[in-house]
């Protein structure tokens, strides 16, 4: 009697990864970013649907889907096959695999000029909570405020333009149909007329008044934590992410202790900041003061 045949490659993938395919517990902002990059390559460099490429490669269709969504880690062999089918050369394949090795790190840093990972992380979020002790948060900055802040930091004209373009692109997330629920904590120090042109600042305050329902202000004299900018990005079915950024790097962390510390920070800020109604009153007063030239 002939020996029974073993499972096909596609069947093996389904059995080993069925549980992972049903949830996002191992995914990270970077794995989702790189998975989306793979999807874009398939769509732009081939005529294949996900199921069509799976047939070409002899894979189960769910394998393409979960890799492109960043849910599970592809092997290097998988990536070579996938990218070769998308017409990529050896140089690109080697470079992509080098980046992909860190895709599922729960603590990940990338250079400050890389914007795609953060953009995608924000777009997929269910809520975003931001604390910025010295500046208006990026997602609330007007172009003029952003330009002046970058100029004072010594950024070059090209750096200013690319950064402002990135900020404005990220802000579209707040107006999308499935926009995340945002909350922004900022101090009055971020609106100090001694650090920004009065007209620029008045325009910024006008914009904050339009967004006042999501702004919580910490007034001058109030106690606020002396920490760097901090963002808590939460999802309905994926791990919560803590994000912070400087002029040198963007840092994403999913480790539970870091998430717990960030939640504790926002609990303190909730007690320290004034109510949304009081925030509006303070912003109106500042807007009037800037307009009067006092």
């Amino acid at each position: 009697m002939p020996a029974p045949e073993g499972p096909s490659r596609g069947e093996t993938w389904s059995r080993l990864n069925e549980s992972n395919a049903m949830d996002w517990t191992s995914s990270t902002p970077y794995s989702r970013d790189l998975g989306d990059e793979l999807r874009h390559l398939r769509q732009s460099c081939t005529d294949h649907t996900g199921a069509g490429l799976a047939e070409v490669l002899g894979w189960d269709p769910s394998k393409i889907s979960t890799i492109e969504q960043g849910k599970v880690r592809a092997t290097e062999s998988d990536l070579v096959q996938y990218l070769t089918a998308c017409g990529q050369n050896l140089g690109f394949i080697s470079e992509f695999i080098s980046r992909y090795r860190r895709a599922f790190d729960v603590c990940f840093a990338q250079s400050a000029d890389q914007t795609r990972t953060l953009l995608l992380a924000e777009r997929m979020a269910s809520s975003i909570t931001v604390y910025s002790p010295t500046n208006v948060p990026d997602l609330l900055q007007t172009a003029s405020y952003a330009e002046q802040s970058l100029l004072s930091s010594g950024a070059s004209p090209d750096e200013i333009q690319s950064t402002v373009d990135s900020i404005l692109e990220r802000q579209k997330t707040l107006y999308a149909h499935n926009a995340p629920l945002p909350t922004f904590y900022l101090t009055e120090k971020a609106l100090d007329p001694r650090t920004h042109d009065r007209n620029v600042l008045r325009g910024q305050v006008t914009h904050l008044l339009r967004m006042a329902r999501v702004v919580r202000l910490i007034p001058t004299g109030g106690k606020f934590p002396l920490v760097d900018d901090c963002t808590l990005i939460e999802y309905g079915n994926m791990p919560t992410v803590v994000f912070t950024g400087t002029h040198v790097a963007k840092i994403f962390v999913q480790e539970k202790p870091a998430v717990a510390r960030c939640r504790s920070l926002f609990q303190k800020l909730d007690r320290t900041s004034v109510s949304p109604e009081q925030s509006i009153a303070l912003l109106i007063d500042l807007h009037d003061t800037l307009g009067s030239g006092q």
Side-chain angles (χ1 to χ4, degrees):
M1 177 182 295
E5 294 183 1
S8 70
R9 188 173 183 180
E11 290 172 337
T12 302
W13 169 268
S14 294
R15 292 176 186 176
L16 293 176
N17 292 280
E18 183 176 4
S19 60
N20 283 339
M22 297 300 290
D23 64 58
W24 296 78
T25 55
S26 64
S27 76
T28 71
Y30 198 41
S31 75
R32 297 190 289 273
D33 179 9
L34 293 179
D36 192 64
E37 185 176 338
L38 289 173
R39 179 190 60 79
H40 178 74
L41 283 171
R42 171 177 59 79
Q43 293 177 338
S44 61
C45 299
T46 80
D47 294 326
H48 296 305
T49 62
L53 183 59
E55 184 175 356
V56 169
L57 295 175
W59 294 358
D60 187 282
S62 67
K63 181 171 180 175
I64 295 287
S65 174
T66 53
I67 289 174
E68 289 183 350
Q69 292 179 72
K71 286 186 176 182
V72 297
R73 181 187 291 276
T75 67
E76 293 191 6
S77 176
D78 290 335
L79 293 173
V80 170
Q81 293 179 68
Y82 185 108
L83 292 168
T84 299
C86 291
Q88 302 306 303
N89 60 36
L90 183 59
F92 180 90
I93 293 173
S94 297
E95 186 273 337
F96 186 90
I97 288 176
S98 177
R99 287 188 286 135
Y100 194 85
R101 290 188 181 116
R102 297 203 59 195
F104 289 84
D105 289 359
V106 294
C107 182
F108 173 73
Q110 60 184 185
S111 62
D113 60 351
Q114 300 297 309
T115 60
R116 178 183 159 94
T117 305
L118 178 59
L119 175 64
L120 194 61
E122 291 172 337
R123 284 183 175 174
M124 297 181 73
S126 58
S127 68
I128 299 174
T129 309
V130 184
Y131 172 52
S132 183
T134 57
N135 284 294
V136 173
D138 289 353
L139 289 174
L140 290 179
Q141 289 184 7
T142 63
S144 296
Y145 182 97
E147 288 170 0
Q148 196 165 91
S149 297
L150 291 163
L151 186 62
S152 65
S153 72
S156 69
D158 287 345
E159 289 172 332
I160 291 173
Q161 187 60 58
S162 64
T163 302
V164 171
D165 288 346
S166 171
I167 287 172
L168 296 179
E169 183 64 26
R170 286 172 53 208
Q171 288 178 1
K172 293 178 183 178
T173 297
L174 299 180
Y175 304 98
H177 172 68
N178 57 342
L181 177 65
T183 304
F184 299 96
Y185 294 91
L186 65 152
T187 67
E188 278 195 278
K189 183 179 180 180
L191 303 170
D192 191 339
R194 293 171 296 181
T195 60
H196 288 81
D197 176 84
R198 297 181 76 89
N199 289 330
V200 168
L201 201 54
R202 193 164 194 257
Q204 178 64 70
V205 173
T206 299
H207 180 62
L208 291 176
L209 282 168
R210 296 193 192 103
M211 302 292 292
R213 61 185 176 81
V214 297
V215 173
R216 299 289 299 277
L217 205 60
I218 301 172
T220 300
K223 294 182 179 180
F224 58 90
L226 296 176
V227 298
D228 294 328
D229 292 11
C230 182
T231 299
L232 191 69
I233 307 176
E234 299 184 90
Y235 305 90
N237 57 351
M238 295 184 289
T240 297
V241 176
V242 175
F243 169 79
T244 187
T246 69
H247 68 286
V248 174
K250 289 181 169 68
I251 302 170
F252 302 83
V253 184
Q254 287 181 195
E255 293 175 321
K256 290 183 178 180
V259 172
R261 287 194 297 272
C262 192
R263 291 191 192 280
S264 177
L265 166 67
F266 285 118
Q267 289 172 358
K268 293 176 183 176
L269 289 170
D270 189 60
R271 295 191 297 268
T272 303
S273 61
V274 298
S275 68
E277 293 75 19
Q278 291 172 307
S279 295
I280 291 172
L282 288 171
L283 289 170
I284 290 174
D285 287 346
L286 179 57
H287 185 272
D288 293 343
T289 298
L290 292 169
S292 67
Q294 295 179 6

